[in-house]
Amino acid sequence: MSCNSGVQRDQWGGTLAGVLIGLLVGAVIAVGVALYINFGHKPFKAEGPTARPQQSAPVATQSVPISLPGKPGDQPVGKPKFDFYKILPGGEAASTPVEDKPVEVVAERIYLQAGAYQNPSDADNLKARLALMGIEATVQRVDLGIKGIFYRVRLGTFGSTDAAESMRARLATDGIESAIVRSKP
C-alpha cells in the first residue's frame, strides 16, 4: 500500500511542476507581446516631420467666438464660418452638383433555372455541381403558399436571350436541363 501512495505523490509533483512551468512560459510570452505592441514598429503611425502632409496654400480663417447664452457679459452667439469650400480643388466649381446621366431602364431580367427543390440540400448539391463546371449559380428560397417552400437554382442574369440559350445548350451537354425565366425588376 505504501507503493501506491508514493506513485501518486510523484504524479502530483510532476503535474504541479508542469502547471507552474506552463504559467511561467505564458507570462513570459504575454510580457513579450505587450512590449512589442507598445514599443515595437508601428507601420501606420506617422513619425517625424517628413510624414506631415504638405499644404499647397494656407487659407486664412476667421474665428468667431461662440459663447453659451445666459451668462453675464455674453455676446450674441455668432454663426461659425467655414472655409473648407476654398480649400477644395477648383474652388467654387467643386461645390456645384454634377448632373447624373439618365439610367437605362431594363424591361426584364433573363435567368436560367436549373432546378427547383423542396429539399435545400438538393439545391445546394446542384449548385455545387455547377460550381465544379465553372458556372456560378444562386439558390433562392421561395414560398409558394399551399405548394410549400421551394429552393430555386438559378443562373444569370443574362444580357440577351442568345446568351441564355448558349448557356442552356452547354448545360444540356452536361446532362442538366434548364429553362429560361424572365422576370421584371
Side-chain angles (χ1 to χ4, degrees):
M1 200 166 194
S2 63
C3 291
N4 287 340
S5 64
V7 171
Q8 288 179 347
R9 238 183 260 152
D10 289 340
Q11 287 178 345
W12 279 105
T15 304
L16 183 62
V19 168
L20 290 177
I21 290 172
L23 287 173
L24 182 64
V25 169
V28 168
I29 290 173
V31 168
V33 168
L35 288 175
Y36 178 75
I37 290 173
N38 290 326
F39 301 109
H41 176 67
K42 294 176 179 61
F44 299 111
K45 184 177 179 183
E47 296 177 6
T50 58
R52 293 183 182 176
Q54 299 288 330
Q55 290 185 350
S56 58
V59 177
T61 59
Q62 176 184 4
S63 63
V64 177
I66 298 176
S67 60
L68 297 174
K71 292 187 178 183
D74 280 346
Q75 296 177 356
V77 177
K79 188 175 181 182
K81 191 170 191 171
F82 298 105
D83 292 329
F84 58 86
Y85 290 111
K86 295 176 186 174
I87 297 172
L88 291 173
E92 294 297 323
S95 64
T96 59
V98 177
E99 293 185 25
D100 292 334
K101 296 178 183 177
V103 178
E104 295 180 20
V105 178
V106 178
E108 62 185 4
R109 294 183 179 157
I110 301 171
Y111 298 96
L112 276 181
Q113 183 165 317
Y117 303 95
Q118 286 186 318
N119 187 356
S121 63
D122 292 338
D124 287 334
N125 287 340
L126 180 58
K127 180 181 175 184
R129 183 176 167 198
L130 291 168
L132 289 174
M133 294 168 45
I135 300 170
E136 185 176 344
T138 58
V139 176
Q140 297 175 343
R141 182 181 184 269
V142 180
D143 188 0
L144 297 178
I146 59 172
K147 290 184 178 181
I149 296 174
F150 279 81
Y151 297 89
R152 296 176 177 163
V153 180
R154 287 194 170 178
L155 289 75
T157 61
F158 294 95
S160 67
T161 307
D162 294 334
E165 283 292 341
S166 67
M167 179 59 77
R168 185 176 181 199
R170 178 179 171 200
L171 291 174
T173 59
D174 290 324
I176 300 174
E177 292 186 32
S178 60
I180 295 179
V181 179
R182 300 172 195 269
S183 68
K184 294 188 178 186

